[in-house]
């Protein structure tokens, strides 16, 4: 069912054409990614979808009472709100609906035939089901934990950094679950674990989503449709990033001459994708199947869990063997490095060697110390303990604040500080425009001041400038932030052609998989693990080991519950919430059974389903049956727990 339609939309900024007669639509349940070069009109299209920007011509049609919400680049919060209050802002209606639903459930126990109560009860059930608001308190806590906001929950939200405020705003929107959610670069300021949580939540709760992103794995995991904005037009592709690449490749076969540069990038992407991602998936199929089989066995046999953990650890060690070439020149030798900032220990007892051709990605959770390690290598931070020995070589550094740029200079002055219009790049002499067009800058940008450029454009300038430096080692801190996918392709190509060492901090899994040959993994406890795995492969192994750990703990807890009687009998009892559910769930389940029976009767009556529509009824029935199964499962678990407690306390 169409929720939003844009018909023959035109949008100009003075003489610049942004959108020319474009059509766009979003159906319920679709997850649409908008891609294209920076400045192509992606954000303009998003704002028109959101109805926060007027267009020159055309028509915007939305379903009646449609709720659309957009993640702001600069979030605004109510004055005086702490982080938890800001996260919960906008949930008042859902909380009221849940409270009313529970009151009605109790009333229906005494007055089950009341048609008005039944109708309101069903309407509230539909609202809570759509927003998945049955366990709102649990969801709030879970999202605060996963977005690393727990330590700030009582802090004034205005005191947080820009990235932290974006996480608060994103958490609030996800909890509200509007009919259509609009996200502009949602993975910026999220570490890889937060991104995985975001992916899981979006898919599990079946969001209808329109988003802009440069995170190609995120696009592949989430998108059901790709819209490319190019030359003021929209072109639609099915699926995510990998399918977009394949379809785009086919389209460009007939346009090879005028798209030669883009075609080369796409060919490189496709070759890497076929060689890397597919090969990795194929290689992992057997292990995945083996894992799933062992998980099933592990439900009844705890020994199988330990067996699988040993097997996965052995596999991880296989990738962590030293693959370095001793004949290579030593750049850094790190010995028992320890760094403490204030009271926080960020790095402890880390030893490693960095050689002349190493390509290393420094990865791990936000705030774990990745940028601190880079600053220690640059000599900007003194180690608390241990030492870093450094050979004779030169370093090029790219940081998130673009410190190498001077806002008062234009591009010509930046690249040719001593005059002229020529620039040397690794032994080759180029006209500055000839070089900068490789970084997607048109000729008219040459006279623009750096200070007038956007964040993404400044990043492109900084990267282009970095590759003009004659250095032996590149150190880059989050280089893909604020870049579009075409520019990231250029960055990857430049790094692959660079003959020296590369050390990067990045949360972009696709970028890391494609570029890095070795990982320094911050574990979150001040330790750093050195690994030669692909990053996605490491994350997959980490997830599987975590799952097995949880299953092992579950078996251990069950053993304790069954065989050990605690000294304090009060330690074994149902929680207040479980007692409440034990009372109310039977009535809720009975009400759902009645609703399901009514829908089934309606679906067998042509007059009834003709009035409401088969698709609408079938979807409503599917939702009710899912909710029914969830509530039955919760009730059975509580009853089982109560029975176990009674047996132990006998």
């Amino acid at each position: 069912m169409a929720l939003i339609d844009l018909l023959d939309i035109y949008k100009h900024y003075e003489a610049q054409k942004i959108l020319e007669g474009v059509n766009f639509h979003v159906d319920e349940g679709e997850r649409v990614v908008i891609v294209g070069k920076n400045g192509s009109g992606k954000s303009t299209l998003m704002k028109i979808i959101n109805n926060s920007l007027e267009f020159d011509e055309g028509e915007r049609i939305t379903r009646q009472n449609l709720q659309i919400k957009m993640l702001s680049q600069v979030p605004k919060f109510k004055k005086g709100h702490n982080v938890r209050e800001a996260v919960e802002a906008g949930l008042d209606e859902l909380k009221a609906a849940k409270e009313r639903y529970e009151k009605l459930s109790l009333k229906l126990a005494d007055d089950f035939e009341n048609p008005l109560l039944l109708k309101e009860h069903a309407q509230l059930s539909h609202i809570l089901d759509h927003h998945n608001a049955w366990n709102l308190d649990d969801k709030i806590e879970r999202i605060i934990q996963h977005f690393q906001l727990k330590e700030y929950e009582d802090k004034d939200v205005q005191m947080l950094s820009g990235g932290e405020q974006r996480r608060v705003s994103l958490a609030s929107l996800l909890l509200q679950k509007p009919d259509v959610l609009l996200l502009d670069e949602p993975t910026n300021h999220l570490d890889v674990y937060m991104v995985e949580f975001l992916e899981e939540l979006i898919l599990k709760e079946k969001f209808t989503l329109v988003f802009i992103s440069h995170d190609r794995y995120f696009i592949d995991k989430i998108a059901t449709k790709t819209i490319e904005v190019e030359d003021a037009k929209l072109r639609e592709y099915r699926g995510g990033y990998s399918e977009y690449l394949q379809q785009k490749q086919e389209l460009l076969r007939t346009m090879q001459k005028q798209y030669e540069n883009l075609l080369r990038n796409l060919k490189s992407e496709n070759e890497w994708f076929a060689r890397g991602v597919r090969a990795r998936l194929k290689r992992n199929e057997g292990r995945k199947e083996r894992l799933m089989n062992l998980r099933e066995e592990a439900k009844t046999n705890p020994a199988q869990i330990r067996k699988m953990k040993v097997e996965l650890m052995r596999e991880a060690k296989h990738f962590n063997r030293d693959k370095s070439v001793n004949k290579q020149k030593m750049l850094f030798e790190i010995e028992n490095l320890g760094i403490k900032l204030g009271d926080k220990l960020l790095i402890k007892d880390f030893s490693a060697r960095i050689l002349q051709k190493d390509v290393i990605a420094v990865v791990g959770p936000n705030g774990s110390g990745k940028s601190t390690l880079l600053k220690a290598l640059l000599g900007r931070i003194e180690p608390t303990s241990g030492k870093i020995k450094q050979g004779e070589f030169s370093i090029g550094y790219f940081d998130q604040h673009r410190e190498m740029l001077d806002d008062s200079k234009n591009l010509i002055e930046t690249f040719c500080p001593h005059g002229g219009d020529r620039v040397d790049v690794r032994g080759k002499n180029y006209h500055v425009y000839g070089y900068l067009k490789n970084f997607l800058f048109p000729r008219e940008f040459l006279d623009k001041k750096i200070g007038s450029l956007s964040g993404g454009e400044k990043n492109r300038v900084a990267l282009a400038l970095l590759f003009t430096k004659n250095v032996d080692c590149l150190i880059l801190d989050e280089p893909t932030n604020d870049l579009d996918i075409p520019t990231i392709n250029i960055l990857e190509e430049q790094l692959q052609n660079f003959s020296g060492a590369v050390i990067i901090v990045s949360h972009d899994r696709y970028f890391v998989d494609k570029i890095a040959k070795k990982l320094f993994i911050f574990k979150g406890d001040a330790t750093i693990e050195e690994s030669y795995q692909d990053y996605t492969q490491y994350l997959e192994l980490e997830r599987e080991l975590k799952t097995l750990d949880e299953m092992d703990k579950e078996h251990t807890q069950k053993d304790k519950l069954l065989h050990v009687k605690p000294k304090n009998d009060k330690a074994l009892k149902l929680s207040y919430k479980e007692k409440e559910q034990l009372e109310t769930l039977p009535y809720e389940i009975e009400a759902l059974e009645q609703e399901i029976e009514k829908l089934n009767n309606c679906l067998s009556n042509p007059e009834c389903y003709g009035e409401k529509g088969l698709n609408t009824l079938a979807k409503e029935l599917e939702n009710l049956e899912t909710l029914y199964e969830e509530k039955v499962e919760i009730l059975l678990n509580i009853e089982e727990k109560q029975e176990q407690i009674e047996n132990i306390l006998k």
Side-chain angles (χ1 to χ4, degrees), residues 277-322:
V277 176
R278 289 180 189 159
R280 207 161 46 244
L281 289 173
K282 188 174 181 181
R283 186 169 68 239
N284 288 345
E285 277 175 6
R287 176 163 60 76
K288 283 182 178 176
E289 186 179 351
R290 196 163 66 252
L291 173 74
M292 297 313 296
N293 291 338
L294 280 168
R295 279 186 185 175
E296 287 303 311
E297 291 180 43
K299 288 177 182 177
T300 54
N301 183 1
Q304 290 293 349
I305 298 175
R306 287 179 276 279
K307 177 183 174 184
M308 189 62 202
K309 281 165 74 175
V310 169
E311 193 171 328
L312 289 174
M313 289 301 293
R314 188 181 298 126
E315 186 169 344
K317 285 176 183 175
H318 165 75
F319 285 102
N320 293 348
R321 64 190 185 278
D322 188 356

Side-chain angles (χ1 to χ4, degrees), residues 4 39 69 80 90 119 167 189 249 274 288 308 311 392 443 459 461 473 510 554:
I4 302 170
K69 295 202 174 181
K119 184 179 179 182
R167 296 209 303 269
H189 311 292
Q249 185 87 338
K288 283 182 178 176
M308 189 62 202
E311 193 171 328
E392 290 293 324
R443 187 180 290 275
N459 266 11
V461 173
C473 175
Y510 193 104
E554 191 179 324

Side-chain angles (χ1 to χ4, degrees), residues 37-38 216 241 260-266 268-269 425-426 434-442 456 459-467 474 476 479-480 483-498 510-511 514-515:
K37 291 190 290 189
N38 282 347
R216 290 157 289 181
Y241 183 68
E260 190 174 334
N261 187 49
L262 183 56
L263 191 61
R264 187 179 74 248
N265 284 335
L266 286 168
S268 169
E269 285 284 276
V425 183
R426 295 197 290 274
Y435 175 62
L436 284 177
K437 74 178 181 181
N438 292 324
F439 288 84
L440 308 179
F441 283 107
N459 266 11
R460 273 192 279 156
V461 173
L463 287 168
L465 187 60
L466 182 68
F467 288 110
L474 293 174
L476 301 97
T480 64
L483 295 185
D484 53 26
I485 291 173
T487 309
I488 295 174
N489 284 330
I490 292 165
L491 170 62
E492 289 164 350
E493 187 179 359
Q494 292 284 338
L495 290 174
Q496 286 166 335
N497 292 331
F498 181 68
Y510 193 104
F511 176 70
K514 193 171 178 184
I515 295 300

Side-chain angles (χ1 to χ4, degrees), residues 152-247:
Y152 309 123
E153 66 178 335
D154 297 321
K155 188 175 180 179
D156 189 327
V157 69
Q158 305 289 351
M159 301 300 292
L160 301 186
S161 69
E164 289 161 348
Q165 287 187 359
R166 285 250 306 171
R167 296 209 303 269
V168 171
S169 183
L170 177 59
S172 180
L173 285 176
L174 291 168
L175 286 164
Q176 292 171 52
K177 198 188 175 189
D179 297 322
V180 180
L181 179 59
L182 308 180
L183 301 176
D184 190 351
E185 294 291 0
T187 62
N188 275 3
H189 311 292
L190 301 185
D191 65 31
V192 66
Y193 302 102
M194 297 178 197
V195 173
E196 288 181 338
F197 170 72
L198 177 61
E199 290 171 348
E200 177 195 328
L201 190 66
I202 287 170
L203 294 174
K204 183 180 177 183
E205 300 206 0
K206 299 176 182 174
F207 275 80
T208 300
L209 184 68
V210 181
F211 67 104
I212 297 168
S213 180
H214 68 260
D215 186 327
R216 290 157 289 181
Y217 278 150
F218 181 75
I219 293 171
D220 241 1
K221 187 81 176 282
I222 296 299
T224 58
K225 184 166 77 179
T226 299
I227 299 294
E228 183 177 38
V229 187
E230 189 174 36
D231 298 330
K233 299 291 184 183
L234 305 187
R235 185 173 278 116
E236 182 177 318
Y237 301 87
R238 65 183 178 277
Y241 183 68
S242 56
E243 289 176 276
Y244 155 75
L245 280 179
Q246 291 156 12
Q247 293 166 67

Side-chain angles (χ1 to χ4, degrees), residues 134-149:
W134 296 103
N135 297 301
L136 208 48
D137 290 338
D138 291 344
K139 280 184 69 179
I140 292 166
E141 189 62 32
R142 185 165 175 252
I143 208 164
I144 284 175
Q145 292 277 5
H146 278 278
F147 279 170
Q148 292 182 11
L149 298 169

Side-chain angles (χ1 to χ4, degrees), residues 337-340 376 381-388:
L337 181 68
I339 297 178
K340 194 174 183 181
I381 290 178
E382 284 295 320
T384 309
S385 60
K387 57 186 174 181
I388 300 174

